[in-house]
Amino acid sequence: MSIQWFPGHMNAAKKKAAEQMADVDVVIEVVDARLPAASCNPLVEELRKFRQRPCLKILNKIDLADPNATAAWIRHFEQDKTVTAYAMTTKKQSDVAQVIGKARKLAPHRNEPTKPLRMMIMGIPNVGKSTLMNALLKRRVAKVGDEPAVTKTQQKIYLDINTAIIDTPGLLWPKIEMPSDGLALAASHAIGANALIEDEVAEWLAELLLARYPELLAARYKLKPEGMDGVAVVERVAQLRGYRLRGGDWDYEKASHMLLQDYRSGALGRISLETPETRAAALAVFMEEERVKAENAAAKAAEKEAERMKGKRGT
């Protein structure tokens, strides 16, 4: 299943962010620590590199992510000398308190009333941008909700006379190339419910958990992972919770939703959907598949052209 979601307001947000980037010193990109690469918006990279702006990449929700995977991602991102990576959770004020200092180190020349540090918070929907904004200000100025795309417009606010920050709407990109990225984003609640089928997302998540975190599935749902597939895991959730339809069949849809909720809330445990190694492997497979598709398409086009020319000579 290929999942795509790019509501109209996101296109307007992209244009506004491109305009605003010229007047920004540091880009603060918030990503989901459970899927740091899949939740990195390539548009953010494109815009900030065009303007040559440094990036403070915040891996948020580390309380939900596998700590070993998070450490690996920090090392991976900081191979780019224009990036400082910081793992944190907005639930801890001590973590939030370090954000401005880390951003200031990326633009040390901006630290006075005539030259305030200008930051822009960017990222995909539902990764915690607005929550971070509110935590930095220690008051509620940005809308927050457990749904993607709560923030629809930009707002600029001064933290003090030396520091200004712009909150932007959650921004996806027009086409998610790798199907597994779309599924990971959907599982992590970064995509609107109208753009996905929860049963299929839950099955994909269950397959991944069987491969990487079978012990967490076993503990949560009292199952034996050996020999199971994603469908069997979802069915086990239905059995354990007693989810039945009127006719007596298991309520697969409700069980799928519960599995996703258990992952999103952390009830299953600390889980990362990707590591730098699994990301590289998935990307290699995707690129090979795309190469084969391109070769097949070229071969079909050549065959069609040969048949056309043959028919033309025959006349």
Side-chain angles (χ1 to χ4, degrees), residues 147-168:
E147 288 293 334
V150 171
T151 302
K152 297 275 196 306
T153 59
Q154 283 190 9
Q155 56 177 333
K156 182 177 182 179
I157 298 174
Y158 279 83
L159 299 181
D160 54 48
I161 60 173
N162 297 328
T163 316
I165 193 164
I166 299 169
D167 184 27
T168 63

Side-chain angles (χ1 to χ4, degrees), residues 33-261:
R34 297 168 296 180
L35 53 155
S39 60
C40 279
N41 188 336
L43 293 177
V44 174
E45 284 291 282
E46 177 187 323
L47 291 174
R48 79 168 186 86
K49 287 188 174 180
F50 177 75
R51 291 290 181 182
Q52 297 182 316
R53 298 298 188 257
C55 178
L56 175 59
K57 195 178 292 285
I58 291 179
L59 282 68
N60 191 28
K61 305 184 182 182
I62 58 166
D63 53 317
L64 302 177
D66 184 328
N68 293 326
T70 299
W73 279 114
I74 293 290
R75 294 191 295 270
H76 173 81
F77 286 129
E78 291 196 337
Q79 291 175 23
D80 182 341
K81 299 306 179 184
T82 68
V83 173
T84 293
Y86 175 45
M88 60 165 284
T89 171
T90 52
K91 295 176 183 177
K92 290 179 64 176
Q93 190 58 40
S94 58
D95 285 0
V96 174
Q98 297 186 52
V99 170
I100 300 303
K102 290 181 179 294
R104 198 174 297 287
K105 287 181 180 179
L106 293 170
H109 59 292
R110 308 286 307 194
N111 189 24
E112 55 187 74
T114 57
K115 289 185 178 180
L117 175 66
R118 302 163 300 179
M119 300 167 291
M120 180 185 287
I121 298 181
M122 303 185 75
I124 68 169
N126 212 25
V127 290
K129 299 180 308 303
S130 295
T131 301
L132 175 60
M133 180 83 158
N134 292 341
L136 288 169
L137 290 165
K138 298 182 181 178
R139 66 182 190 276
R140 187 184 177 94
V141 296
K143 290 183 179 179
V144 175
D146 187 27
E147 288 293 334
V150 171
T151 302
K152 297 275 196 306
T153 59
Q154 283 190 9
Q155 56 177 333
K156 182 177 182 179
I157 298 174
Y158 279 83
L159 299 181
D160 54 48
I161 60 173
N162 297 328
T163 316
I165 193 164
I166 299 169
D167 184 27
T168 63
L171 184 63
L172 282 168
W173 49 106
K175 184 179 180 182
I176 300 170
E177 297 288 348
M178 288 175 57
S180 59
D181 281 355
L183 288 160
L185 291 167
S188 304
H189 212 21
I191 289 178
N194 61 338
L196 58 95
I197 300 172
E198 281 198 329
D199 294 6
E200 296 183 10
V201 177
E203 287 172 16
W204 173 86
L205 176 63
E207 293 279 359
L208 185 145
L209 296 176
L210 282 169
R212 300 185 195 167
Y213 297 96
E215 71 286 355
L216 296 183
L217 283 176
R220 180 67 178 174
Y221 302 124
K222 300 177 176 60
L223 54 79
K224 294 182 179 179
E226 297 79 12
M228 298 188 77
D229 60 9
V231 173
V233 170
V234 176
E235 288 178 346
R236 174 56 184 159
V237 175
Q239 293 167 6
L240 187 66
R241 304 296 184 213
Y243 295 152
R244 286 188 180 275
L245 298 170
R246 270 191 183 176
D249 292 336
W250 298 118
D251 191 334
Y252 198 83
E253 184 177 342
K254 193 171 182 179
S256 295
H257 183 75
M258 176 54 66
L259 175 62
L260 293 173
Q261 285 298 104

